[in-house]
Amino acid sequence: MKSLEEIMAIKEQVQSELSFENNPDGIRVLVGMATCGIAAGARPVMDALVEGVKAAGLEGKVTVTETGCIGICQYEPIVEIYEKGKEKVTYVKMTADKAKDVLEQHIKGGKPVEDYFLKDADGTPKSSLAETNFYKKQKRVALRNCGVINPEKIDEYIGKSGYLALAKVIREMTPDDVINTILASGLRGRGGGGFPTGRKWMFAKASVSDKKYVVCNADEGDPGAFMDRSVLEGDPHAVLEAMAIAGYAIGADEGWIYVRAEYPIAVRRLKIAIEQAREYGVLGNNIFGTDFNFDIHIRLGAGAFVCGEETALLTSIEGNRGEPRPRPPFPAVKGLWGKPTIINNVETYANIAQIILNGAEWFSSVGTETSKGTKVFALGGKITNTGLVEIPMGTTLREIIEEIGGGIPNGKKFKAAQTGGPSGGCIPAEHIDTPIDYDNLIKIGSMMGSGGLIVMDEDTCMVDLAKFFLEFTVDESCGKCAPCRIGTVRLLEILKKITSGNGEMEDIDKLEELAAYIKSASLCGLGQTAPNPVLSTLRYFRDEYIAHIKDKKCPAGVCKSLLRYEIDPDKCKGCTMCARQCPAGAISGTVKQPHVIDPAKCVKCGACLTTCKFGAISKK
């Protein structure tokens, strides 16, 4: 067990090591070893660097260590090199062979290898990600340590002022002081609903009980979302410290982290972090020599989307089938095992310690009037730069897409962005200058959600997109209430009817009427928001629905039942490549003569279109 004085000594020692104070010629090499990095091949890169340093006898000078998600995931594996008095150098799309080159030329020879730098749109190599547009407009609070520290070493977290917020809280502040600070900061829940965090804590503190719980919702289920996973993989102690602070504020001595089993790296690092925190005495009994006790347990979820809803999550922790409960009573009054419980998601907790250390005014100075601080987004889809971004609330969608995201690739036009996953809605191009915050998104028919942001270009069919999210919702519905269990199936049937070319104009009215019933009558928030993708696409892209129904055409050329492929006889050279690639034998013709496609045989796979070098084949 470490005293506060020992924690402070560790902080000073680590800061000295990270600044190379006692080793001015030292070199620190960080390898991105989050899920994205490992999937891209970071493990051989890491091994090559470790073995190379050892073989060269540089172990006293060069430290090779793993870190979490650095952010710009499409360029993984990423290696960053820190040296005293120099800007960090970033290498992207690394391999074991490239790592050996970096070891020889940069680490041993002192000359960075420009060939492995990230290049700007004009081809200019950038030695550091900090110089790129992807990072310039970001402000990292929740992600402050991700890609910077080794998440499996508690000392490195302490070196970044870790657990000092907890010490400050239990030694200098009352529970009311803590809650008032969180209230004054304006922090709202980052899990989707945007409920003020301080108010939730205040309600739980006011509930009288012999037992209370603090729960972390790490059941991130939105398609394309990986914000919480990245925090757990890159900075797990930030969540543990925040949960202990929350426990002190409401009078709880026990916490639970509900994390999906599909996140094995996050789970492993959480287990390591909890054991280290117990060993250091920042979890357990008599924390920092006080009478405050708090410990944390992990519960693995099976990946059910509905368990992202807080009451279904609590039911699952209790060992029962994950189904939502009617509210009220709310969890702050009657939650886990019938006791007062607060539930916040990973990103919400990741802000807490910084608010305590820097003050409510510091946090509230960032963002908009009603949405304070920053928001983490998983940026994906038809965008040049994909990855994890953290931006101040109020940043416009245009800034995210055109500056941070690098714009739409292949000269395509921006069509829409989907926020909030299956519970959210589409933001069309006409609203690209909308400042992103909770209230603005609701006004235009979308929602913040947990932070997935999927960008779509002109080749996206919005009817098909609505169908995709409904298919997900139908699969993930827990089935407890009829409006969600049956209503979403009926919505999906209508969408399938439209995209198959059998739609009728009355179907649009049926979609809107049925969506209204589902929203008003479903038991939980997931069912109530399930129709949002349908309603938002109808609101902004009704003409596409009409085209599918009246003209029997998919304007984006996506819905197979409404497609046909044609060969222009004036452009066809009779090279026979399309016929050889067609898996259905639907293309006929002789050499050097125009070919034709038999629509009865065509399976609309598009192989002919991608094969033709003369632009003779078009999609109608």
Side-chain angles (χ1 to χ4, degrees):
M1 181 178 293
K2 305 290 184 183
S3 66
L4 178 57
E5 291 72 22
E6 289 173 312
I7 294 291
M8 292 296 295
I10 291 171
K11 175 190 173 184
E12 292 176 7
Q13 179 186 348
V14 172
Q15 289 181 341
S16 175
E17 291 173 356
L18 295 179
S19 63
F20 305 104
E21 186 175 313
N22 299 319
N23 188 14
D25 295 324
I27 297 176
R28 179 175 167 85
V29 183
L30 291 181
V31 182
M33 293 287 285
T35 294
C36 50
I38 293 173
R43 177 61 64 188
V45 174
M46 180 84 176
D47 292 342
L49 287 167
V50 171
E51 292 167 7
V53 167
K54 184 177 180 180
L58 296 173
E59 291 168 288
K61 177 183 177 182
V62 180
T63 302
V64 181
T65 188
E66 62 185 65
T67 189
C69 180
I70 294 170
I72 192 161
C73 304
Q74 79 201 66
Y75 290 101
E76 294 281 6
I78 296 175
V79 173
E80 295 199 306
I81 296 181
Y82 293 77
E83 298 178 76
K84 185 176 178 64
K86 298 180 182 180
E87 291 289 327
K88 73 176 178 182
V89 174
T90 305
Y91 294 111
V92 300
K93 294 189 175 180
M94 294 295 287
T95 63
D97 288 339
K98 289 179 180 179
K100 293 173 185 177
D101 289 344
V102 169
L103 180 64
E104 289 297 323
Q105 298 180 48
H106 184 167
I107 295 175
K108 293 170 67 175
K111 185 179 179 181
V113 188
E114 287 193 8
D115 289 346
Y116 307 150
F117 288 176
L118 177 65
K119 294 177 176 61
D120 259 356
D122 61 1
T124 304
K126 297 291 186 180
S127 63
S128 171
L129 290 181
E131 299 176 4
T132 65
N133 288 334
F134 182 81
Y135 277 93
K136 285 179 180 176
K137 289 223 166 184
Q138 292 193 48
K139 181 177 177 61
R140 294 201 153 201
V141 179
L143 299 179
R144 64 194 176 277
N145 290 331
C146 293
V148 176
I149 66 171
N150 185 333
E152 297 185 15
K153 292 186 176 180
I154 188 173
D155 285 5
E156 292 202 13
Y157 178 69
I158 292 171
K160 296 291 184 179
S161 299
Y163 290 108
L164 295 188
L166 176 59
K168 178 180 178 180
V169 161
I170 63 179
R171 291 167 67 100
E172 302 175 16
M173 302 173 72
T174 67
D176 285 334
D177 290 338
V178 177
I179 291 173
N180 289 335
T181 299
I182 302 303
L183 280 169
S185 74
L187 176 65
R188 295 172 65 172
R190 299 306 197 237
F195 191 81
T197 304
R199 286 180 61 193
K200 184 180 287 188
W201 292 17
M202 180 177 66
F203 295 150
K205 180 181 181 296
S207 296
V208 178
S209 177
D210 61 336
K211 184 76 174 180
K212 297 181 183 181
Y213 294 99
V214 173
V215 172
C216 174
N217 182 350
D219 191 62
E220 187 173 48
D222 289 5
F226 52 93
M227 302 75 59
D228 291 351
R229 186 197 74 205
S230 296
V231 173
L232 293 177
E233 291 178 349
D235 195 17
H237 285 283
V239 177
L240 305 187
E241 181 177 17
M243 291 178 69
I245 291 170
Y248 175 80
I250 71 166
D253 64 359
E254 190 173 350
W256 287 85
I257 300 176
Y258 187 87
V259 57
R260 49 184 46 220
E262 292 105 321
Y263 286 177
I265 298 172
V267 171
R268 181 172 62 83
R269 289 180 178 164
L270 270 174
K271 289 179 178 177
I272 291 171
I274 290 172
E275 287 305 311
Q276 290 175 340
R278 288 170 179 163
E279 181 184 347
Y280 275 42
V282 290
L283 284 182
N285 296 327
N286 306 119
I287 297 174
F288 287 122
T290 69
D291 59 0
F292 175 59
N293 307 322
F294 191 81
D295 202 4
I296 293 175
H297 315 282
I298 296 174
R299 176 76 82 197
L300 298 184
F305 181 63
V306 72
C307 287
E309 194 278 334
E310 60 181 16
T311 60
L313 181 153
L314 295 178
T315 304
S316 183
I317 291 178
E318 292 169 350
N320 301 310
R321 177 185 172 90
E323 293 180 336
R325 306 168 182 171
R327 298 182 302 176
F330 291 93
V333 176
K334 186 179 181 181
L336 192 58
W337 289 295
K339 303 296 183 180
T341 304
I342 58 169
I343 310 169
N344 293 114
N345 84 321
V346 171
E347 185 185 342
T348 307
Y349 284 124
N351 286 284
I352 296 297
Q354 291 302 294
I355 293 173
I356 297 297
L357 290 177
N358 297 304
E361 188 176 338
W362 165 81
F363 187 82
S364 64
S365 67
V366 178
T368 65
E369 183 63 30
T370 58
S371 300
K372 304 297 185 182
T374 60
K375 181 72 189 78
V376 179
F377 287 99
L379 186 61
K382 303 296 182 65
I383 190 78
T384 299
N385 299 326
T386 61
L388 208 61
V389 303
E390 184 172 4
I391 48 97
M393 292 281 195
T395 302
T396 65
L397 186 61
R398 183 187 298 276
E399 290 175 287
I400 297 173
I401 293 172
E402 296 183 358
E403 297 181 42
I404 297 173
I408 313 299
N410 304 317
K412 299 288 185 177
K413 294 180 181 178
F414 168 69
K415 185 172 186 176
Q418 173 82 8
T419 64
S423 301
C426 291
I427 306 171
E430 66 192 77
H431 290 305
I432 194 171
D433 291 308
T434 299
I436 300 297
D437 68 14
Y438 291 100
D439 302 316
N440 282 330
L441 289 183
I442 290 173
K443 285 178 185 176
I444 60 175
S446 188
M447 64 182 291
M448 186 77 72
S450 58
L453 202 164
I454 308 299
V455 179
M456 292 159 279
D457 66 11
E458 59 195 80
D459 294 333
T460 304
C461 171
M462 305 311 288
V463 186
D464 182 69
L465 180 82
K467 185 180 74 170
F468 166 79
F469 281 115
L470 255 294
E471 286 172 336
F472 179 85
T473 305
V474 167
D475 283 343
E476 293 292 341
S477 174
C478 75
K480 185 172 184 177
C481 70
C484 179
R485 181 182 71 249
I486 301 172
T488 55
V489 173
R490 298 289 89 83
L491 279 179
L492 180 58
E493 288 174 349
I494 297 172
L495 290 173
K496 286 181 175 179
K497 179 183 174 185
I498 293 172
T499 55
S500 65
N502 299 310
E504 304 169 84
M505 286 304 296
E506 308 90 77
D507 289 331
I508 294 179
D509 294 331
K510 290 179 182 177
L511 284 173
E512 292 179 322
E513 182 180 10
L514 184 54
Y517 284 134
I518 296 171
K519 286 180 72 70
S520 63
S522 291
L523 175 61
C524 78
L526 298 184
Q528 292 160 12
T529 56
N532 283 354
V534 177
L535 292 173
S536 66
T537 51
L538 277 171
R539 177 177 177 179
Y540 295 114
F541 301 98
R542 185 176 289 259
D543 57 323
E544 289 197 27
Y545 282 83
I546 294 172
H548 281 70
I549 294 170
K550 281 191 171 183
D551 304 331
K552 306 301 177 185
K553 287 184 178 180
C554 174
V558 171
C559 299
K560 283 189 175 183
S561 298
L562 302 177
L563 291 182
R564 72 179 189 277
Y565 289 88
E566 293 181 356
I567 298 177
D568 186 336
D570 295 329
K571 293 182 179 180
C572 180
K573 307 298 182 183
C575 70
T576 75
M577 280 297 295
C578 59
R580 282 182 280 164
Q581 292 296 318
C582 179
I587 302 176
S588 59
T590 58
V591 177
K592 296 185 179 180
Q593 295 297 318
H595 284 46
V596 295
I597 299 175
D598 182 349
K601 293 182 179 179
C602 179
V603 294
K604 302 168 185 177
C605 65
C608 58
L609 183 66
T610 57
T611 300
C612 183
K613 299 178 180 179
F614 307 103
I617 301 177
S618 59
K619 185 166 58 173
K620 303 291 186 180

